[in-house]
Amino acid sequence: VSENIVAAAQQNSSCRPTLVGVAYDRASATAMLDALEMGLDGIIVKTENISDLAAIAADVAARCDGQVDNKQRASDQGALAAARVTAITPLGMGHRVCADLCTEMRDGEGLLVGNHNGSYLLVHSECAENDFVASRPFRVNAGSTHMYVYDPVDDKTRYLSELRTGGIVRVVNATRGTTSRAFVGRAKVERRPLVLVEASFESSGRPVSIVLQNAETVRLMRCNNAKEGTTYQGAVSVAALRVGDALLGWEDATDSGGKLLGGRHVGVRIDEFLEER
């Protein structure tokens, strides 16, 4: 029903009404929020289930907050930033995770992944056509199972090894500086040859590193250097990556002494001493 209402409203673009629906549980609220990718303008929730109400409020907030490059978020938690490659080291065999999502990604979209809390690189989706395998726009070959995948909107991390069917990750669009929620359809873990990519952020000199499958189809995101404005400049295969290349990543905010603002417990930022090597 929600989709029919949204479709009818789109046909009358010159005088579009405000669309509001009544939801009785989380399932019906979700259907209204996502109808034809637009959703209704608002929902009235009629339920005595407090947990449902809290979940619906969180769903609404997640859909409203899709920016990762606005000034408030950049100053509070971190920002997209340029990192210069300092070393590329083949490691041998290990377990890596392909995150197969229930969405199709485009050029410039992927996940923020890293070895350490507070510093991540953008791993590109496998949407590009290539000479080796068919395009898989739903997939991010995200790297070794131990690494963090970061959600810059909720400011939370989880291990790649924790991804499961039905889980949620945050896809970053480097071209627009926006994010979108995506559901995990499958997490595919296999043993593959790995490579360690090390870099340092140009603005702070802080190190950032990532362990990826050593394959032509695994790509990171090039960018301008920090002085030129840090914009997305296309995907680059780890097989073609060179020391000195500028990559797009995410650098958490620090205190006046350059230290990270706390550690993490089950992915949530907390105020504690943390040193990761």
Side-chain angles (χ1 to χ4, degrees):
V1 176
S2 298
E3 293 182 347
N4 295 342
I5 294 172
V6 172
Q10 287 182 349
Q11 292 177 347
N12 189 13
S13 58
S14 60
C15 185
R16 183 184 180 281
T18 300
L19 304 177
V20 178
V22 179
Y24 296 93
D25 52 31
R26 187 181 186 185
S28 59
T30 298
M32 293 177 185
L33 289 169
D34 292 336
L36 295 184
E37 299 185 11
M38 282 187 55
L40 304 186
D41 298 303
I43 54 174
I44 299 169
V45 181
K46 296 184 68 175
T47 179
E48 296 180 359
N49 188 326
I50 299 301
S51 61
D52 253 11
L53 188 61
I56 292 169
D59 289 343
V60 172
R63 285 161 174 78
C64 292
D65 191 357
Q67 296 292 327
V68 298
D69 63 345
N70 61 73
K71 293 180 180 178
Q72 179 180 0
R73 187 165 301 284
S75 62
D76 290 347
Q77 296 174 355
L80 291 172
R84 191 72 63 175
V85 177
T86 57
I88 304 167
T89 310
L91 297 182
M93 300 293 288
H95 290 89
R96 67 93 175 97
V97 178
C98 281
D100 292 349
L101 309 181
C102 301
T103 188
E104 294 200 350
M105 290 165 279
R106 303 174 182 175
D107 180 54
E109 291 187 319
L111 299 177
L112 285 165
V113 183
N115 283 325
H116 303 106
N117 170 46
S119 55
Y120 316 94
L121 293 175
L122 263 174
V123 182
H124 203 280
S125 72
E126 292 191 3
C127 64
E129 297 291 340
N130 63 84
D131 297 330
F132 305 98
V133 294
S135 170
R136 295 181 174 94
F138 56 84
R139 172 171 294 173
V140 177
N141 192 333
S144 177
T145 54
H146 75 278
M147 289 197 298
Y148 298 115
V149 56
Y150 179 58
D151 181 335
V153 174
D154 291 337
D155 186 32
K156 292 181 180 179
T157 62
R158 68 179 61 183
Y159 297 115
L160 287 175
S161 63
E162 295 174 341
L163 296 185
R164 296 289 188 276
T165 298
I168 297 173
V169 293
R170 189 76 60 169
V171 173
V172 175
N173 185 311
T175 303
R176 299 177 182 175
T178 59
T179 72
S180 57
R181 295 195 323 161
F183 293 95
V184 177
R186 169 180 56 242
K188 189 178 180 184
V189 181
E190 296 166 306
R191 279 178 56 82
R192 292 292 186 267
L194 303 177
V195 60
L196 169 64
V197 177
E198 298 175 271
S200 61
F201 286 108
E202 291 192 330
S203 57
S204 66
R206 193 190 335 167
V208 56
S209 66
I210 191 169
V211 176
L212 297 167
Q213 180 179 341
N214 196 353
E216 291 84 354
T217 54
V218 179
R219 291 175 168 85
L220 294 164
M221 300 197 195
R222 290 188 192 272
C223 67
N224 292 26
N225 60 42
K227 293 181 180 179
E228 295 175 345
T230 312
T231 56
Y232 172 61
Q233 296 293 306
V236 55
S237 168
V238 293
L241 197 63
R242 298 292 181 266
V243 170
D245 286 348
L247 300 175
L248 199 56
W250 178 275
E251 183 176 19
D252 262 9
T254 58
D255 61 21
S256 58
K259 294 183 179 180
L260 286 174
L261 302 177
R264 292 194 182 268
H265 177 66
V266 293
V268 178
R269 190 189 297 273
I270 59 173
D271 184 14
E272 69 165 4
F273 170 79
L274 173 68
E275 181 180 356
E276 294 180 323
R277 301 175 181 175

